[in-house]
Amino acid sequence: SAGDVLEDDPVGRLKVYVYELPSKYNKKILQKDPRCLSHMFAAEIFMHRFLLSSPVRTLNPEEADWFYTPIYATCDLTPTGLPLPFKSPRMVRSAIQLISSSWPYWNRTEGSDHFFVVPHDFGACFHYQEEKAIERGILPILRRATLVQTFGQRNHVCLNEGSITIPPYAPPQKMQARQIPPDTPRSIFVYFRGLFYDVNNDPEGGYYARGARAAVWENFKSNPLFDISTEHPTTYYEDMQRAIFCLCPLGWAPWSPRLVEAVVFGCIPVIIADDIVLPFADAIPWEEIGVFVAEEDVPKLDKILTSIPPHVILRKQRLLANPSMKRAMLFPQPTLPGDAFHQILNGLARKLPHPTSVYLKPGEKILNWTTGPITDLKPW
């Protein structure tokens, strides 16, 4: 039902100017830690590479519809591979100070015709803990820009109206290499591998995933229809291809790579995350390919899933088998028509033309550069 939008071609409908920044904002950070290329926040790196050779790129900023500032804000990693949030706001502020003083384009709109890829757990709030993210809020100088972000939750301070919500990065080559024959029987009814409790960060067990994952474990750990565990087997990808339903519950944030994996492997995603804003929701018919279960209804998961008629399951599986649906969730190299890169460009194209109200009058200022936590204002 969303095929026309899903298969839009952005070429010829927009032009993007890519700022050339000193390598300390991007390439040098990656050289220091190549793990950034494979973690679920890697969209910022691959989007930069894609745009450098994309037919929508223009070398003439005067004809650009959009301006892109390539900053690798999640590539400062802890020993366990998680992005530190502390330097990101300072890095972004520094880059914006640079482009606003070196080119005239930011100052015309205070960023309204600029977009930034901000794939942190809570996007441009730059934190992995929700309370801290809400406390900081979206970096003030990004509030007129368009944010391309993995985080999406309705009525949340970390989601701007007009943001483009994207899937997290999942390794396309690795997933392609683990495909099994498509006629393999789906002998697993419900599948999930992952944490049910985060004992390190939530020792009392009531806050992580708002209790939804704990409820899955407590209610269904002994149910033979549910193949659920904290273990991550080497056959994980193959198992998903043998499953009918794959649970996609929220964690610390509402999204996770499981959503991408489920779609790519044709496993019906069971989305347990109230108020989630899903990737490319104007192009992908999520209601038709997935099952939505309210967090409070997790104890009834068995009844909900066993009551879905076989013809509905088959229809969802047929839709998931559509190659365009899978392609839209991935960032492949080389790129493919209709992939996640193109869906981002489609989203930008659908926001054109910019209304005249985005252009400021001479001397007019809307954004306050000096607001925000003291640590975010330090030089980078």
Side-chain angles (χ1 to χ4, degrees), residues 33 36-37 56 88-89 92 104 112 115-116 118 146 158 190 209 222 237 241 246 257 284 299 312 317 327 354 378:
D33 202 331
C36 300
L37 285 169
V56 306
S88 300
V92 172
S112 288
F115 70 93
F116 295 81
V118 283
T146 287
C158 297
V190 182
S222 302
Y237 284 158
Q241 294 168 78
C246 288
I284 295 176
V312 174
Q317 289 175 332
R327 200 178 302 137
H354 298 296
K378 291 178 181 176

Side-chain angles (χ1 to χ4, degrees), residues 192-199 208-209 213-214 229-230 249 252 258:
F192 176 79
R193 291 293 184 272
L195 288 178
F196 297 99
Y197 303 91
D198 188 341
V199 291
Y208 178 58
R213 293 196 187 198
S229 170
T230 56
W252 285 112
R258 285 182 192 82

Side-chain angles (χ1 to χ4, degrees), residues 46-99:
F46 291 112
M47 190 66 194
H48 182 202
R49 293 180 176 182
F50 164 73
L51 281 171
L52 290 176
S53 58
S54 170
V56 306
R57 183 189 182 191
T58 177
L59 300 178
N60 178 8
E62 293 296 335
E63 67 175 18
D65 302 303
W66 288 99
F67 296 81
Y68 166 64
T69 308
I71 310 163
Y72 297 172
T74 64
C75 195
D76 189 25
L77 302 180
T78 65
T80 56
L82 298 174
L84 288 164
F86 318 114
K87 292 181 185 175
S88 300
R90 292 159 52 201
M91 187 193 310
V92 172
R93 278 177 57 87
S94 170
I96 294 174
Q97 284 172 323
L98 177 63
I99 63 170

Side-chain angles (χ1 to χ4, degrees), residues 80-154:
T80 56
L82 298 174
L84 288 164
F86 318 114
K87 292 181 185 175
S88 300
R90 292 159 52 201
M91 187 193 310
V92 172
R93 278 177 57 87
S94 170
I96 294 174
Q97 284 172 323
L98 177 63
I99 63 170
S100 64
S101 60
S102 305
W103 290 271
Y105 308 105
W106 172 273
N107 298 321
R108 298 183 310 186
T109 66
E110 287 194 319
S112 288
D113 52 358
H114 288 57
F115 70 93
F116 295 81
V117 181
V118 283
H120 260 282
D121 279 13
F122 289 92
C125 289
F126 296 121
H127 217 285
Y128 51 82
Q129 293 179 343
E130 188 171 19
E131 288 178 355
K132 299 275 180 66
I134 290 171
E135 187 181 322
R136 175 184 279 155
I138 291 174
L139 192 65
I141 54 173
L142 287 177
R143 287 181 186 159
R144 280 175 63 82
T146 287
L147 304 178
V148 176
Q149 58 182 79
T150 39
F151 174 79
Q153 185 172 319
R154 281 185 288 274

Side-chain angles (χ1 to χ4, degrees), residues 225-293:
L225 293 176
F226 284 68
D227 188 344
I228 58 177
S229 170
T230 56
E231 296 175 4
H232 202 292
T234 55
T235 56
Y236 175 67
Y237 284 158
E238 289 85 350
D239 293 343
M240 290 188 93
Q241 294 168 78
R242 295 186 181 97
I244 296 172
F245 295 105
C246 288
L247 300 186
C248 301
L250 73 161
W252 285 112
W255 57 272
S256 84
R258 285 182 192 82
L259 194 65
V260 177
E261 294 162 348
V263 172
V264 169
F265 292 130
C267 186
I268 297 169
V270 181
I271 298 159
I272 307 168
D274 295 352
D275 297 322
I276 190 172
V277 176
L278 287 157
F280 310 132
D282 60 342
I284 295 176
W286 288 107
E287 293 285 347
E288 295 177 44
I289 64 174
V291 174
F292 290 78
V293 176

